[in-house]
Amino acid sequence: EAGVTQFPSHSVIEKGQTVTLRCDPISGHDNLYWYRRVMGKEIKFLLHFVKESKQDESGMPNNRFLAERTGGTYSTLKVQPAELEDSGVYFCASSQDRGQRFSGNTIYFGEGSWLTVV
Amino acid sequence: EDQVTQSPEALRLQEGESSSLNCSYTVSGLRGLFWYRQDPGKGPEFLFTLYSAGEEKEKERLKATLTKKESFLHITAPKPEDSATYLCAVQARVSDSGYALNFGKGTSLLVTP
């Protein structure tokens, strides 16, 4: 079974440019999450999709970030325009279960997209 | 606000030298505490979930325990292949019906032969 796939694995862009990150969750997983780790900080939640709907986007840093999940399959996270502080690793994760007490072992992480803004 | 603090930030052990990693947490109603392992250039890999004080889980040389304020990840007779960053996270409510993981910064473990 294929795991969570992220593309690109690495990206270097100039300040002011646009970057789009893609995540393909595990097939059949309704829940898709985006997380981010910036240098020296902990991994932080960005947003959560249930199928194609945004369940929560309280972790999105500002309106330069736009996430979509058309059709409830893959998701994209666009940063426009990119700033230096956006550099970091963007992780996508997916899970099948959702409820009052979900299990961490149902959340599978991708290998991350490493973004460097120069 | 939910907080997760891990210590030490880095730990160097000799092969066979047992030790423990600490994860202190502050959360309004623990719904789950999770341990992940992360290798360089990879995503977090799930290890354990603990839900209530007194609970313990084991996997090979790793054992996770939980109290009302902290969790320990005990590593018994570690091997070089146990070298990785170990992440602790608590389940936090982010919306009326949604939950997400709130991570600590991790402990970077290096086991030398």
Side-chain angles (χ1 to χ4, degrees), chain A residues 1 17 23 49 56 64 69 110:
Chain A
E1 178 182 306
Q17 289 187 321
C23 169
F49 283 100
D56 191 282
R64 294 185 294 102
R69 192 183 182 193

Side-chain angles (χ1 to χ4, degrees), chain A:
Chain A
E1 178 182 306
V4 177
T5 305
Q6 294 188 242
F7 181 84
S9 58
H10 293 80
S11 183
V12 180
I13 62 172
E14 293 184 348
K15 176 182 173 180
Q17 289 187 321
T18 298
V19 63
T20 300
L21 311 177
R22 172 171 170 144
C23 169
D24 286 80
I26 293 173
S27 178
H29 282 194
D30 288 340
N31 296 284
L32 188 149
Y33 304 84
W34 283 99
Y35 287 81
R36 177 176 76 166
R37 182 169 192 165
V38 297
M39 186 69 73
K41 301 288 187 180
E42 60 275 21
I43 297 174
K44 286 284 195 181
F45 166 78
L46 295 178
L47 85 159
H48 171 205
F49 283 100
V50 177
K51 297 184 179 178
E52 67 276 7
S53 300
K54 288 180 185 175
Q55 184 70 23
D56 191 282
E57 52 184 334
S58 59
M60 295 285 262
N62 51 61
N63 58 10
R64 294 185 294 102
F65 290 75
L66 175 64
E68 295 179 326
R69 192 183 182 193
T70 306
T73 55
Y74 72 91
S75 174
T76 58
L77 179 64
K78 179 189 288 187
V79 184
Q80 179 183 29
E83 298 289 344
L84 299 179
E85 64 264 25
D86 300 331
S87 297
V89 187
Y90 291 77
F91 291 106
C92 178
S94 72
S95 72
Q96 193 169 34
D97 300 328
R98 182 174 69 91
Q100 291 296 322
R101 186 176 170 175
F102 71 75
S103 301
N105 62 352
T106 66
I107 297 182
Y108 301 93
F109 281 80
E111 297 198 342
S113 288
W114 298 69
L115 174 64
T116 302
V117 182
V118 297

Side-chain angles (χ1 to χ4, degrees), chain A residues 37 55-56 100-101 104-105, chain B residues 34 46 51 94 97 99 105:
Chain A
R37 182 169 192 165
Q55 184 70 23
D56 191 282
Q100 291 296 322
R101 186 176 170 175
N105 62 352
Chain B
F34 309 89
F46 172 78
Y51 290 106
V94 293
S97 57
Y99 296 85
K105 290 184 179 181

